[in-house]
Each structure stands twice: as structure tokens, then as C-alpha cells.
Amino acid sequence: MKTICPLFFKKAFPVLILLFVLASDLMAQLPQYYNYNTNGTNNSFPLGIAAGKNAQWLLLAGDLSQPTPAPAGNITKFWFRVGDTYPINNVTYTTFEIKLGQAAITVLPTGSYYSPMTTVFSRPSYLINATGGTWVEITLDTPFPYNPAQALIVEMGHCLGTPATGFPMCTTTLTGNRRNWSVGTCPFVYSSVSTSTLNCGVTIAPPVTCNFTWGTQTSGVTNLLQAVWAPTSSICWAAGAAATVRKTTDGGTTWTNANPNPGVITGDVYNIWALDANNALLTTSPGATFIYRTTNGGTNWTQVFTQTGGFIDAIVMSSATLGYAYG
């Protein structure tokens, strides 16, 4: 026994530590920014209503202040807290949607929903399974630009919850019109307003900063260039007056003649489209309307369409063989 017991504790002790760490991680899973991490007042709207329900909540500027004030950026995830004693046990919600809006307001309107709202998450069918006292994390389909100087309006609704029951929504009672809800299921019709807001949070990604600059490129010709198409960041075709076609394959550092054997293309080129460095189509209208194609980078062009009269303004291909020309 003296040799077995120490061996047992050496193996069991790390396991106990691992279990403790895992449990701690689960308990510590919080939104990046939130208003209240408390049970508050439990409410059934909207996810506790089996027949379907819709609700809007108002979060004033500065409400998302835990653990620090939420900054400007793009909301990529939305979180809400589940009631301590009202878990959401494998409930399937049909036509489940989340909408967000922002405005310089301090109360929700009376007698109607706030609008306009942007749909940021939508599912024909959505399953939620969450134990009491935890947070539900939802990754948005569309990131929402957040301005911390304005109020955030959150809308959530569904048309049917199977088997929705209880009071799973944690809310906090405040002052003013902070929540409104529907009289019933889809289509949602405004019912009433109250002073409670949802205990919720968000994940915010920094705003995207584009630091691109424009630089002058030398095409090598003085003819008027009227059309350009870049299938990649390094390949670009340009075309214009007097059957001029130019091409670059190094992002514009150098441009080459993409119509070195003139005579096939006549007139001014008004539009060009390219699949890659070899395949391109262009349009001219010197009296009749023409479409020309190259498959060898512009070395040779072949007339593939003509029409008396008319004027083609644009050509766009969805593949090497399927496309549209209009004018």
C-alpha cells in the first residue's frame, strides 16, 4: 500500500487540476463588453414563448461598460445571459432573427417599434442549448458598425420555439422606455413597452483602416484610354481610342502592347473584360457593333459578334464561356 498510494496521487493530482481549470474556463466565459452579468429579473420574452415572440431593447450610450467601456468598431458577436434557474434545453427556434440599430435616443418609441434596423443574424431554424447562468454567444452574419456615442437598439424574435418554456432572459429594470414587444407571433405587431433592458454583451473588432494610395502609371501610349479590367492584383488590361489595348502582368510597373497585330480590331474600344492574362474580350462600335476575343494574351484577336446599329457599353463574363453584353 505504501508504494501504491503515492503513485495514485501522482496520477490523480494533475487530473484534478485539469478538471478545475476546465471548470474555471467555462465559468469565466464572458462577452468582451457587457452591461450586467447578473440574473436580474427573469423574463420569458422572447425565447421562453413557444408560440413565438419579438422584443426590442435599448442600451444607452455607455451601458456596455463592463469590464471596460466598449469602443468604436464592428460588432461581430452578440451575447445574452440565460436565467440562473431557467436553462434553454435544446430549443429549436424557427425564423430566428437578430437586428441591430443605432441612434441618438434615450427612450424607445411608444406605440411602435424603433426603425430602421439592420438584420445581422437570420436562420430558418436555430437550436439553442444553454445551462442556467451562462452566456449564449452568437456570431453575426453581418458585422455591425458600433458608435459608442449613440444608443444601441437590439431586436430578437422567432416564429416558433420547440419546446420553449420558462423565463430564460435575464433583464434589469431601469427607467424610461427600454423594451417593447409584440402582441403575438409572426407577423409581429407592436404590443407594449416597459422599463427593463436585456443583460447582454458584444464582441467588437477594430474598424478596418484602408491605407491604400494611388500612384501614376505610364501606359506607353498617348491615345485616350476608356476601359480597364483587372482580374487579379497584378494583371490588368486597358483599352481605348484607335484600337489601343495595353496589358500589365506586374501590377502596373510595365505595360505592353496587347494588340501588336493591328487590323482585326477597328474603331475605338469602349469596354474590355479579362479572365486572366491570356483570355479577354472587348467591344467597339465604329458604325456596327463588334465583340472581339483573344485567347493568347492579345497576340491575336478574333471577331466573335457583330450587330448593325446599336452601341455596346459594357461586357461582363461570369465564366470563360458565359457572359452578357449590353448597351
Side-chain angles (χ1 to χ4, degrees):
M1 291 298 292
K2 289 183 180 180
T3 57
I4 294 175
C5 289
L7 180 62
F8 170 77
F9 283 111
K10 286 180 182 179
K11 291 184 177 180
F13 188 60
V15 174
L16 292 174
I17 293 177
L18 177 61
L19 291 174
F20 175 76
V21 171
L22 290 175
S24 298
D25 287 344
L26 291 173
M27 292 297 292
Q29 191 173 12
L30 294 173
Q32 186 181 19
Y33 306 100
Y34 57 92
N35 54 358
Y36 303 102
N37 184 25
T38 58
N39 184 63
T41 302
N42 296 126
N43 196 277
S44 61
F45 295 173
L47 299 187
I49 304 298
K53 205 73 172 178
N54 179 267
Q56 281 186 342
W57 301 272
L58 177 66
L59 284 75
L60 298 183
D63 279 357
L64 295 172
S65 60
Q66 304 296 326
T68 58
N74 295 312
I75 298 177
T76 59
K77 295 181 180 181
F78 179 75
W79 305 61
F80 66 90
R81 196 181 189 281
V82 179
D84 289 353
T85 56
Y86 295 99
I88 302 177
N89 292 322
N90 291 309
V91 179
T92 299
Y93 297 96
T94 61
T95 319
F96 179 81
E97 289 189 342
I98 297 175
K99 301 178 181 180
L100 297 178
Q102 278 215 271
I105 60 176
T106 56
V107 292
L108 288 173
T110 300
S112 65
Y113 284 112
Y114 173 83
S115 66
M117 298 289 288
T118 300
T119 301
V120 294
F121 186 84
S122 180
R123 293 291 184 276
S125 177
Y126 190 63
L127 176 67
I128 297 181
N129 184 41
T131 57
T134 62
W135 288 82
V136 173
E137 172 189 359
I138 299 175
T139 300
L140 305 185
D141 300 325
T142 304
F144 184 82
Y146 175 69
N147 178 1
Q150 292 187 333
L152 178 68
I153 302 95
V154 177
E155 181 175 329
M156 183 186 298
H158 68 96
C159 294
L160 183 68
T162 309
T165 186
F167 303 86
M169 312 302 292
C170 290
T171 64
T172 297
T173 302
L174 300 169
T175 58
N177 296 347
R178 300 293 291 265
R179 181 191 67 161
N180 54 35
W181 63 90
S182 67
V183 67
T185 187
C186 304
F188 301 122
V189 177
Y190 175 88
S191 175
S192 190
V193 68
S194 75
T195 60
S196 63
T197 192
L198 183 67
N199 295 1
C200 60
V202 295
T203 297
I204 295 180
V208 177
T209 302
C210 296
N211 296 317
F212 299 110
T213 58
W214 291 89
T216 302
Q217 302 289 332
T218 301
S219 67
V221 296
T222 57
N223 292 342
L224 177 66
L225 297 176
Q226 304 180 123
V228 63
W229 190 273
T232 71
S233 60
S234 59
I235 299 170
C236 186
W237 297 68
T244 300
V245 185
R246 307 294 287 178
K247 183 180 69 174
T248 180
T249 57
D250 56 12
T253 302
T254 57
W255 291 83
T256 59
N257 185 2
N259 185 22
N261 299 304
V264 176
I265 302 173
T266 59
D268 298 339
V269 180
Y270 294 100
N271 193 262
I272 190 167
W273 175 92
L275 177 66
D276 49 37
N278 293 311
N279 298 277
L281 294 99
L282 57 80
T283 66
T284 69
S285 299
T289 296
F290 298 95
I291 296 178
Y292 299 90
R293 179 176 64 197
T294 181
T295 58
N296 58 8
T299 301
N300 303 104
W301 291 87
T302 303
Q303 180 184 316
V304 293
F305 176 81
T306 183
Q307 175 180 310
T308 303
F311 190 102
I312 293 180
D313 295 296
I315 181 170
V316 176
M317 304 290 290
S318 60
S319 70
T321 56
L322 177 64
Y324 304 86
Y326 59 90

